Amino acid sequence: MKTRDQEYRELFMAEALEYYDSMSRHLSELERNPDAGPALNELFRLMHNLKANARAMGFNDLGEVAHHLETLFGLIRDQERTFSGSLIKVVFSGVDALGNMIRAVGAGQPLPDATALLDNLDRLVRGEEPILEAEDAGESEEESSKKMELSDLVYIQVKKLDNLLNLVGELVIDRDRIMTLAQELDNPALLATAQHLFRISDDLQYSVMDARLVGVGVLLNKFPRVVRDVAAAEHKEVELTMSGQDVQIDRNILQIITDALLHLVRNAVSHGLETTEQRLKAGKAAVGQLTLSALTERDDVLIQVRDDGRGIDTEAVRRKAVDRGLVSANTAATLNEQAVWAYLFEPGFSMAQQVTDISGRGVGLDVVKLALDSLGGQLRVESELGVGTTFTLVLPTSIAVKGALLVEVEERPYAVPLLHTDTVLSLHPGQISVVGGVFITYFQEQSVPLVPLRQLLYDEGDGPLPLATRDDITGPQQVLVVNYNNRRLGLVVDRFIRQQNIVIKPLSKPLDTIDLFGGVTLLGSGQVCLVLDVPALTRLFLNKRP
Amino acid sequence: MAEIELATTPKTERAKPAELVQLIVFRLGDEDYGIRIEQVKEVTVTPEVARMPKTPPFIKGIANLRGDIIAILDLEERFRLRPAGRPLPERSYTVAVEAADYTLGLMVREVPRPFTLPLSQIEPAPEFVQDAGTRDKYLEGIAKLPEGGIIIVLDMRKLLTPSEVLRLPGKGASS
């Protein structure tokens, strides 16, 4: 994996070479037509950008040459100098020098000395004649032998990458199919070829996925400005710390969570952190701490937004949820804090006392939840009153391939993304109790409601599920414990098939409105397999709970 | 094409140039039904259909048609055209039709056949034939054939609106 330095260097090189090419082009244009305003403006801009980039990367000599040329073009633009005579020569050699310096950076060599050139540029700026050395003949020969080079980096539209990834997805599906057929036919030659195909398409898939990875930094680096603006608007003092910009993630996933992250950060400054006055009164440091960090955990990428603000007032959320009629007062009293916090993600649920420009308009955390659900991600909340709050976005590294557990219900396979699965259990009837018409089992000292997946999928109508009775349980029960929004639910299935990486295809219209399914996948056997949407299943269970 | 025809056709006959309509004709129940060929994407032997929970019974499920996952509909069931005691055949055919912006498969019992007839032969369907329950009128008309018999011409674009396809039984409309 590349270091960030290497990556920045490559980006710098790609951009610098592009600048150099356009400079040469515009310079030729200017030579033909000294009054070409657009070319002049463009040259000025290119020099300015190159100067800034070079200085940011620590290539000060390169920056210096660009700076001098920029000054000179500024004068030409303001018509204090004309693009004529010896100036032309110096400018051309200046741009050549830039080219040489850029190449030296690319090759990791020391930058060539440019003192004479800088002196000449200074003279031109002062209005003096440059001192041209009399080795023109030799130089022109060097010119003719000058090599042209192309950048090692290719810019590519995300759309093209998306298409590539889709095609690879199709390939992987067919590959699995061929693999299955080869095993069934048991022909050694076919099997060997199939295995080779398997390896190649695996490599291909990871290469394409790798090409889509970008550092989380490309998103995080936009936040210092956001935090500054929100803090200024709210009259708060905030210090932002960031880490993990190198963590790699699929570019489209970053795109999808951009708004969600923006929301969480604004929220942290606006709701989470207190004003300086309040902080001092509470015995905290005057400046609020906000941390944005990314890290990898197994196959997932975690992005955390942590503040050391006032924390979530669980009792206030509980009251608000009851006021808004989301839950009855009796039930609310029994909910633990995680369950109470889940209401923060209901549409239109805002805890803001007053509406400000930043927050409190009821456009709430549900936006965050939606974005994560669409990715099959999760949101974790930790909070302590008076100490601070941490929101953690759990994201897949790539949207292309997902680990899934295949289960069977009524002789049909269904896939459950691993991201939402906790564990599988085989329970004998003695381990299952009936509480209020719902099956319950105890797992890790927590009660987990159980529901036959068959009932959730196939029972018609909106009515509540039938009351569970002990008579329904005969023999051991296969249970898949899923987890969504910190709620655990045990799905009783007929059989576990296997764990497998799947490529999820979205359901097309008009069936995409059935939210119980996150898509479909094709199994090696050619069978169509529906992918279950755990958030929707959990919601359905909560709605239909007897 | 049209312009050339206009130029060569005498003015008196201009009112009825023989505009032809190509239909894909298939059998539902005991009648022939037709769809304009431009609304049909392909005709194929019905692939393996996976049952899809939470859909009305006339949606048989979903199938993989050359990489597209499409819904397979049983129009006999949708229109209640299947006489009692006549089961679905073992081997059926699927007409893939293009609705507004998606593709759907219609399951039919016999090989569908193409049929060309003049547009003038298609008469608007009488109002009372239309299903009173639906807002959109999905019968384009009825074609009377010279040798007797009729073809009921369906307008797929109107029949297969999402609300129509997802018309769930009872009040069980899950969001």
Side-chain angles (χ1 to χ4, degrees):
Chain A
M1 194 151 284
K2 280 178 212 146
T3 66
R4 202 185 331 161
D5 270 358
Q6 242 175 322
E7 206 168 299
Y8 282 161
R9 205 185 176 89
E10 280 176 18
L11 279 174
F12 168 78
M13 278 302 296
E15 222 171 352
L17 281 174
E18 201 177 289
Y19 284 173
Y20 171 68
D21 286 343
S22 347
M23 282 174 194
S24 305
R25 202 173 65 237
H26 290 305
L27 218 48
S28 311
E29 160 85 22
L30 204 60
E31 195 179 25
R32 272 200 310 280
N33 174 14
D35 299 325
L40 194 55
N41 284 334
E42 195 54 23
L43 275 163
F44 184 76
R45 187 186 71 86
L46 290 168
M47 289 300 169
H48 182 82
N49 288 354
L50 183 63
K51 174 189 77 176
N53 290 352
R55 284 182 175 170
M57 293 293 296
F59 307 127
N60 291 325
D61 292 355
L62 180 48
E64 207 52 27
V65 174
H67 173 63
H68 278 74
L69 282 164
E70 181 193 354
T71 312
L72 194 57
F73 282 119
L75 292 174
I76 302 172
R77 194 182 52 180
D78 300 339
Q79 298 185 333
E80 291 179 32
R81 298 280 176 285
T82 53
F83 193 73
S84 60
S86 54
L87 187 143
I88 296 181
K89 199 163 227 137
V90 176
V91 166
F92 267 102
S93 68
V95 170
D96 284 346
L98 285 180
N100 290 334
M101 287 172 133
I102 294 167
R103 277 186 284 273
V105 167
Q109 288 162 354
L111 300 189
D113 177 60
T115 329
L117 173 68
L118 288 177
D119 284 347
N120 273 342
L121 286 170
D122 277 339
R123 279 191 197 94
L124 283 169
V125 169
R126 283 198 300 269
E128 299 165 15
E129 267 301 297
I131 304 169
L132 293 174
E133 287 164 41
E135 44 180 282
D136 287 357
E139 246 176 46
S140 65
E141 232 170 77
E142 199 185 299
E143 293 295 297
S144 58
S145 67
K146 203 161 69 184
K147 276 183 271 170
M148 295 177 95
E149 59 252 277
L150 291 175
S151 161
D152 283 342
L153 268 183
V154 179
Y155 288 112
I156 182 161
Q157 282 176 330
V158 174
K159 209 170 69 190
K160 288 186 185 173
L161 278 179
D162 286 348
N163 188 28
L164 201 54
L165 194 66
N166 279 338
L167 291 173
V168 171
E170 298 277 317
L171 181 69
V172 166
I173 289 166
D174 283 351
R175 167 200 80 183
D176 288 347
R177 182 115 197 239
I178 288 173
M179 198 69 192
T180 313
L181 287 175
Q183 274 156 2
E184 279 169 12
L185 295 173
D186 205 20
N187 174 323
L190 180 58
L191 209 54
T193 316
Q195 269 156 0
H196 191 228
L197 176 66
F198 195 92
R199 276 200 304 278
I200 292 179
S201 51
D202 234 28
D203 286 353
L204 182 61
Q205 187 178 21
Y206 282 101
S207 303
V208 174
M209 277 158 59
D210 192 52
R212 299 166 56 93
L213 296 183
V214 294
V216 174
V218 300
L219 178 57
L220 292 195
N221 291 338
K222 298 184 190 297
F223 278 96
R225 178 63 200 268
V226 173
V227 171
R228 189 211 142 270
D229 288 355
V230 181
E234 299 261 326
H235 309 292
K236 288 177 180 174
E237 288 179 74
V238 181
E239 187 182 319
L240 174 68
T241 318
M242 298 199 293
S243 67
Q245 286 99 323
D246 299 346
V247 170
Q248 301 276 305
I249 191 167
D250 190 295
R251 184 255 173 212
N252 282 16
I253 292 181
L254 273 193
Q255 172 87 49
I256 292 169
I257 62 149
T258 301
D259 284 349
L261 199 58
L262 193 61
H263 196 90
L264 285 178
V265 168
R266 284 181 172 162
N267 225 37
V269 178
S270 175
H271 291 313
L273 292 168
E274 314 91 330
T275 59
T276 312
E277 224 170 84
Q278 291 166 329
R279 289 184 67 88
L280 289 173
K281 209 181 280 173
K284 292 182 177 181
V287 179
Q289 294 294 326
L290 183 65
T291 316
L292 261 177
S293 50
L295 55 147
T296 44
E297 186 188 89
R298 285 180 302 167
D299 284 346
D300 302 331
V301 171
L302 310 190
I303 298 183
Q304 287 186 324
V305 181
R306 173 181 312 214
D307 67 63
D308 70 342
R310 52 173 76 102
I312 299 174
D313 184 347
T314 310
E315 294 318 307
V317 179
R318 204 190 298 269
R319 281 196 300 277
K320 186 110 182 180
V322 174
D323 285 351
R324 294 220 24 214
L326 294 169
V327 62
S328 72
N330 289 339
T331 317
T334 65
L335 295 175
N336 65 18
E337 55 181 20
Q338 287 285 349
V340 173
W341 295 342
Y343 288 107
L344 288 171
F345 304 105
E346 295 291 334
F349 197 96
S350 175
M351 290 304 292
Q353 302 299 321
Q354 66 200 79
V355 175
T356 70
D357 275 352
I358 313 290
S359 53
R361 285 176 172 161
V363 187
L365 291 166
D366 57 313
V367 179
V368 180
K369 203 87 201 81
L370 275 178
L372 280 164
D373 285 353
S374 74
L375 288 170
Q378 293 219 40
L379 183 62
R380 296 185 197 148
V381 190
E382 290 155 65
S383 185
E384 198 176 326
L385 200 58
V387 179
T389 307
T390 304
F391 288 99
T392 306
L393 311 181
V394 184
L395 304 165
T397 311
S398 167
I399 32 184
V401 181
K402 281 197 179 120
L405 189 69
L406 303 185
V407 299
E408 190 177 273
V409 176
E410 308 228 311
E411 293 173 1
R412 287 228 56 95
Y414 291 93
V416 186
L418 285 185
L419 199 72
H420 288 294
T421 61
D422 260 13
T423 186
V424 294
L425 303 170
S426 183
L427 300 175
H428 57 79
Q431 292 170 291
I432 301 173
S433 336
V434 180
V435 179
V438 179
F439 291 123
I440 296 279
T441 191
Y442 283 88
F443 172 65
Q444 292 174 344
E445 289 164 21
Q446 208 188 358
S447 71
V448 178
L450 306 180
V451 61
L453 186 53
R454 184 183 306 109
Q455 283 182 356
L456 284 185
L457 291 181
Y458 296 124
D459 279 9
E460 300 288 350
D462 270 348
L465 295 166
L467 290 177
T469 64
R470 294 211 133 269
D471 300 343
D472 300 342
I473 317 172
T474 45
Q477 302 288 310
Q478 310 301 320
V479 176
L480 169 63
V481 180
V482 295
N483 186 334
Y484 168 68
N485 212 359
N486 299 306
R487 286 185 179 118
R488 276 177 165 170
L489 176 64
L491 301 171
V492 182
V493 301
D494 295 350
R495 190 165 77 86
F496 294 114
I497 304 175
R498 63 178 171 274
Q499 191 178 316
Q500 181 178 319
N501 282 336
I502 57 169
V503 181
I504 300 180
K505 292 166 147 293
L507 278 170
S508 55
K509 283 190 188 175
L511 299 174
D512 55 349
T513 49
I514 302 174
D515 62 2
L516 280 189
F517 307 106
V520 282
T521 188
L522 296 173
L523 301 182
S525 57
Q527 243 180 336
V528 177
C529 170
L530 286 161
V531 181
L532 295 178
D533 186 274
V534 171
L537 273 180
T538 312
R539 280 195 294 269
L540 183 68
F541 171 72
L542 290 175
N543 289 338
K544 295 184 74 162
R545 185 165 48 180
Chain B
M1 269 276 281
E3 271 175 277
I4 297 170
E5 263 179 48
L6 281 183
T8 54
T9 315
K11 258 197 169 175
T12 46
E13 282 178 36
R14 231 183 101 173
K16 34 176 168 176
E19 196 186 325
L20 295 178
V21 180
Q22 273 191 296
L23 299 177
I24 294 293
V25 176
F26 48 86
R27 215 166 172 76
L28 293 177
D30 295 318
E31 302 293 340
D32 280 336
Y33 287 76
I35 305 174
R36 283 172 178 258
I37 200 163
E38 59 269 22
Q39 294 176 2
V40 175
K41 204 172 167 190
E42 70 174 288
V43 177
T44 170
V45 173
T46 304
E48 191 209 309
V49 180
R51 185 177 158 199
M52 177 110 181
K54 303 287 168 195
T55 51
F58 67 83
I59 293 186
K60 290 288 117 189
I62 51 177
N64 173 22
L65 193 76
R66 287 177 229 298
D68 286 339
I69 306 294
I70 61 168
I72 304 287
L73 273 66
D74 179 354
L75 286 187
E76 286 189 357
E77 191 153 345
R78 164 69 185 81
F79 294 136
R80 296 178 209 91
L81 297 170
R82 184 152 43 240
R86 190 192 290 178
L88 273 175
E90 273 286 299
R91 180 187 175 88
S92 65
Y93 296 85
T94 288
V95 182
V97 294
E98 294 193 310
D101 50 356
Y102 52 92
T103 306
L104 281 167
L106 306 179
M107 220 161 91
V108 299
R109 49 177 67 233
E110 283 164 27
V111 189
R113 59 183 197 277
F115 191 84
T116 307
L117 76 172
L119 180 63
S120 54
Q121 246 174 289
I122 301 179
E123 290 173 8
E127 271 295 308
F128 64 87
V129 182
Q130 304 266 10
D131 186 340
T134 46
R135 278 144 295 179
D136 296 309
K137 305 298 179 204
Y138 50 78
L139 289 191
E140 183 178 331
I142 293 175
K144 290 205 175 95
L145 306 182
E147 61 271 30
I150 57 164
I151 295 174
I152 304 162
V153 183
L154 298 170
D155 186 344
M156 280 301 131
R157 281 157 218 277
K158 288 186 180 155
L159 175 61
L160 302 175
T161 55
S163 59
E164 165 68 13
V165 172
L166 285 182
R167 213 180 46 138
L168 296 171
K171 288 201 285 177
S174 101
S175 57

